[in-house]
Amino acid sequence: MRRITLPSGESIPVLGQGTWGWGEDPGRRGDEVAALHTGLELGMTLVDTAEMYADGGAEEVVGEALAGRRDEAFVVSKVRPSQASRSGTIAACERSLKRLGTDRIDLYLLHWQGRYPLQDTVAAFQQLVADGKIRYWGVSNFDHLALADLRDVPGSGGLATDQVLYNLSRRGPEYDLLPWCTDHQLPVMAYSPIEQGRILHDATLNDVAAGHSGPRPLEML
């Protein structure tokens, strides 16, 4: 699988596994764990989750799936803005680590900007890095103006990525965000890249696919 390089120099796969909506139904837990295992075998070793998904339930699914094979995965999780004070971020991370059954999160994101000053959240991220509890930190759902403000915060040089909603049907980031991130050499991580599967039913996409070799998108479901 093709890979991309973070500002740190670490290489990660360009396609990962998301867990939004997971951990909500105990009856699906076995299938969710099995899906993560299949993804790992296919090289989709980046696994994205968050403390707010099923109030930590998704992190618990990830922890179960990675038991005994933690080193195979690059784990991404996120702190809620309502928890993102300096002390709150550290406490939230420790809870996530426990649910994930691991001693470190590879990439820890601020889920979106809230009421706490960014300098407090960044200071917490720096402390977590120093303590070995996270390896890298970033943000999610920041536009280019918010990123510009973040650059003025002490310690912001450690910013690894901005995770945003971006796919063929939601191309807003192309106007301002992607050019800004290109100019500042900041990788962008897209969530819902196939619109949680809905984009595969798009008539225009199927017409384009029909002109190329291989199955049409709907035939891959």
Side-chain angles (χ1 to χ4, degrees), residues 106-128:
D106 296 296
L107 176 61
Y108 198 42
L109 308 177
L110 173 60
H111 212 148
W112 64 90
Q113 190 171 2
R115 70 180 188 273
Y116 289 108
L118 287 174
Q119 55 263 36
D120 291 353
T121 310
V122 171
F125 286 154
Q126 290 180 301
Q127 184 63 55
L128 289 166

Side-chain angles (χ1 to χ4, degrees), residues 131-154:
D131 292 343
K133 294 179 180 179
I134 68 173
R135 299 178 60 223
Y136 311 112
W137 65 268
V139 295
S140 181
N141 298 301
F142 273 45
D143 62 19
H144 69 292
L145 297 176
L147 288 174
D149 289 341
L150 178 57
R151 279 175 58 86
D152 294 331
V153 173

Side-chain angles (χ1 to χ4, degrees), residues 59 62-63 66-73 75 77 90 92-108 127-136:
E59 289 181 323
V62 172
L66 296 183
R69 53 193 309 181
R70 172 64 182 87
D71 291 342
E72 297 179 40
V75 176
S77 194
I90 292 172
C93 181
E94 291 172 345
R95 291 191 296 269
S96 289
L97 288 169
K98 184 176 181 179
R99 288 189 291 264
L100 289 163
T102 184
D103 62 349
R104 83 278 184 194
I105 294 170
D106 296 296
L107 176 61
Y108 198 42
Q127 184 63 55
L128 289 166
V129 170
D131 292 343
K133 294 179 180 179
I134 68 173
R135 299 178 60 223
Y136 311 112

Side-chain angles (χ1 to χ4, degrees), residues 6-86:
L6 294 175
S8 66
E10 178 152 354
S11 172
I12 60 174
V14 297
L15 185 62
Q17 303 181 78
T19 61
W20 182 84
W22 288 25
E24 297 177 355
D25 181 354
R28 297 203 311 256
R29 192 179 186 100
D31 290 338
E32 291 165 352
V33 170
L36 285 171
H37 286 166
T38 298
L40 292 176
E41 299 303 325
L42 293 173
M44 297 168 61
T45 54
L46 186 150
V47 178
D48 180 270
T49 189
E51 68 169 348
M52 71 170 288
Y53 298 169
D55 282 331
E59 289 181 323
E60 292 175 350
V61 172
V62 172
E64 181 177 339
L66 296 183
R69 53 193 309 181
R70 172 64 182 87
D71 291 342
E72 297 179 40
F74 185 95
V75 176
V76 182
S77 194
K78 312 174 194 73
V79 58
R80 285 185 177 99
S82 61
Q83 307 286 348
S85 65
R86 182 165 184 168

